[in-house]
């Protein structure tokens, strides 16, 4: 026992007297005293209860500066308006946490459980208001919020960004908060549903286990023309309206949401004098071959400019 104590004391003394310069050839790298590169995931936050609890997954830096606030990205995953796998985009979104953003991946009521339009945009707006109400808890800057979504999620975030002040899309939760945003990123999203029906092949209907557009509106669009009109983005774009800047990205070989959907959206925004950037991904499909380092760099530049 005495020898063990002696060895321990000697070891501690050696540690205290150890000098880094005595290690020949040793390299030095530098730590960050702000500890700004440590990130965490806060899973399954209930932001509202409808027929069931709805969740969001939130990623943020582990900060020792409790008063510091970070801009927020609210992401909506594409799913054909069906049940989302909202953990799936987290690996792709995690890099933005290390860029200094809080990132929330949001689920909504999906069509297979009766979540017909406009349930999706109502839920997204409720999530934005929830996050504003809890900005202090999650270190969010409530004045710097961006939306980002792909496919059906692209449509949902675009409609939410365009429809500020439309009472139909607001629900009672956190009414003291607003749901407007600084900017919006739309990856290969739906612009209008009539032309989507024209490109809805039997193969796509089989892939989605039923017609996703009919599920969204509760039946054929011919029987729900008023709802379809309210869901089309064109009805929210006028020259005199305040609209946040948009970034559109779409692959020219997209077999699910045709490339022309984003072309029409871009042209309407541009013709009405609004800020919009549009990038065609040559050879890009419906997500595949699209999430490249170059595209992620474009998103980062866009967010830095407007957040």
């Amino acid at each position: 026992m005495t020898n063990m104590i002696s060895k321990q004391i000697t070891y501690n003394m050696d540690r205290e007297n150890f000098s880094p310069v005595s290690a020949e050839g040793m390299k030095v790298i530098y730590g960050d005293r702000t500890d700004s590169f440590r990130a965490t995931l806060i899973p399954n936050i209930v932001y509202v209860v409808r027929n069931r609890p709805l969740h969001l997954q939130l990623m943020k830096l582990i900060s020792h500066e409790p008063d510091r606030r970070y801009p927020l990205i609210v992401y909506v995953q594409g799913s054909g308006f069906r049940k989302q796998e909202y953990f799936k985009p987290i690996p792709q979104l995690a890099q933005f946490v290390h860029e200094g953003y809080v990132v929330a991946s949001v689920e909504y009521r999906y069509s297979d459980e009766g979540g017909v339009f406009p349930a999706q945009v109502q839920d997204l707006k409720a999530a934005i208001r929830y996050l504003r109400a809890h900005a202090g808890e999650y270190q969010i800057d409530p004045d710097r919020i961006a939306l980002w979504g792909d496919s059906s999620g692209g449509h949902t975030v675009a409609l939410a960004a365009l429809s500020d002040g439309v009472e139909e899309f607001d629900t009672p939760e956190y009414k003291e908060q607003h749901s407007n945003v600084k900017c919006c990123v739309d990856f290969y999203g739906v612009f209008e549903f009539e032309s989507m029906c024209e490109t809805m092949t039997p193969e796509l209907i089989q892939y989605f286990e039923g017609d996703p557009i009919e599920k969204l509106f509760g039946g054929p669009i011919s029987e729900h023309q008023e709802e379809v009109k309210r869901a089309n983005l064109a009805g929210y774009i006028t020259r005199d309206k305040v609209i946040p800047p948009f970034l559109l990205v779409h692959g020219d070989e997209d077999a699910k949401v045709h490339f022309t959907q984003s072309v029409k959206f871009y042209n309407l925004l541009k013709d009405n004098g609004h800020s919009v950037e549009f990038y065609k991904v040559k050879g890009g499909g419906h997500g595949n071959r699209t999430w490249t380092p170059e595209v992620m760099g474009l998103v980062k530049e866009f967010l830095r400019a407007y957040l």
Side-chain angles (χ1 to χ4, degrees):
M1 178 65 72
T2 302
N3 288 340
M4 290 179 64
I5 294 174
S6 174
K7 289 180 179 178
Q8 183 65 47
I9 293 172
T10 303
Y11 172 77
N12 288 339
M13 289 177 62
D14 289 343
R15 288 281 300 232
E16 291 170 3
N17 296 327
F18 178 76
S19 173
V21 296
S22 65
E24 184 178 351
M26 182 184 69
K27 304 296 184 182
V28 175
I29 59 175
Y30 300 95
D32 180 356
R33 291 191 180 276
T34 68
D35 216 10
S36 60
F37 295 96
R38 296 177 64 213
T40 188
L41 168 67
I42 306 173
N44 296 322
I45 298 169
V46 176
Y47 72 87
V48 74
V49 177
R50 305 293 195 203
N51 56 313
R52 64 178 177 86
L54 295 179
H55 302 86
L56 61 84
Q57 316 302 316
L58 188 135
M59 294 181 288
K60 63 182 292 292
L61 293 174
I62 300 173
S63 174
H64 296 298
E65 303 171 88
D67 294 330
R68 187 170 180 181
R69 297 291 180 263
Y70 300 92
L72 169 67
I73 301 169
V74 181
Y75 188 86
V76 180
Q77 185 207 17
S79 62
F81 301 102
R82 302 173 303 157
K83 184 178 176 61
Q84 301 152 288
E85 296 177 297
Y86 46 81
F87 276 101
K88 251 186 174 180
I90 284 177
Q92 290 151 220
L93 300 174
Q95 60 182 291
F96 289 85
V97 182
H98 297 288
E99 293 280 333
Y101 298 95
V102 177
V103 181
S105 177
V106 176
E107 74 162 334
Y108 52 53
R109 286 170 287 174
Y110 51 90
S111 58
D112 287 330
E113 65 174 355
V116 297
F117 178 84
Q120 297 76 19
V121 69
Q122 288 173 337
D123 293 343
L124 173 57
K125 284 176 175 273
I128 297 168
R129 293 196 303 272
Y130 168 90
L131 288 163
R132 272 202 168 97
H134 292 81
E137 179 181 353
Y138 300 126
Q139 294 188 273
I140 293 167
D141 183 341
D143 296 322
R144 300 168 68 197
I145 297 179
L147 297 180
W148 183 4
D150 69 292
S151 191
S152 58
H155 170 267
T156 302
V157 298
L159 184 51
L162 292 170
S163 62
D164 185 41
V166 177
E167 291 185 6
E168 174 190 8
F169 299 146
D170 283 323
T171 51
E173 302 82 16
Y174 304 101
K175 288 291 284 186
E176 71 280 4
Q177 305 293 333
H178 61 84
S179 59
N180 61 358
V181 296
K182 284 287 190 182
C183 58
C184 185
V185 180
D186 177 359
F187 274 24
Y188 42 92
V190 179
F191 172 68
E192 62 182 10
F193 287 92
E194 294 88 348
S195 56
M196 276 294 297
C197 288
E198 295 172 3
T199 59
M200 188 59 59
T201 64
E203 291 77 16
L204 281 177
I205 292 173
Q206 182 179 5
Y207 171 83
F208 285 115
E209 299 176 338
D211 189 319
I213 299 175
E214 289 191 2
K215 287 183 179 181
L216 177 64
F217 294 109
I221 65 169
S222 60
E223 300 175 6
H224 297 272
Q225 293 184 12
E226 185 59 35
E227 291 90 339
V228 171
K229 182 180 178 181
R230 296 201 306 273
N232 287 339
L233 302 183
Y236 303 89
I237 301 171
T238 58
R239 180 168 290 274
D240 59 347
K241 185 175 182 179
V242 177
I243 290 176
F246 271 81
L247 171 64
L248 310 181
V249 175
H250 209 134
D252 65 354
E253 295 182 12
D254 192 328
K256 293 186 176 70
V257 178
H258 199 274
F259 178 73
T260 55
Q261 292 279 326
S262 289
V263 172
K264 293 176 182 179
F265 190 17
Y266 170 75
N267 286 334
L268 188 59
L269 285 170
K270 185 178 179 182
D271 291 346
N272 280 276
H274 297 294
S275 176
V276 56
E277 299 175 25
F278 180 28
Y279 290 87
K280 175 176 75 173
V281 182
K282 184 69 175 176
H286 194 68
N288 53 315
R289 305 184 299 276
T290 301
W291 290 72
T292 65
E294 292 80 7
V295 171
M296 293 300 97
L298 291 172
V299 176
K300 290 175 184 177
E301 289 179 2
F302 178 79
L303 294 176
R304 280 196 293 266
Y306 293 108
L307 280 186

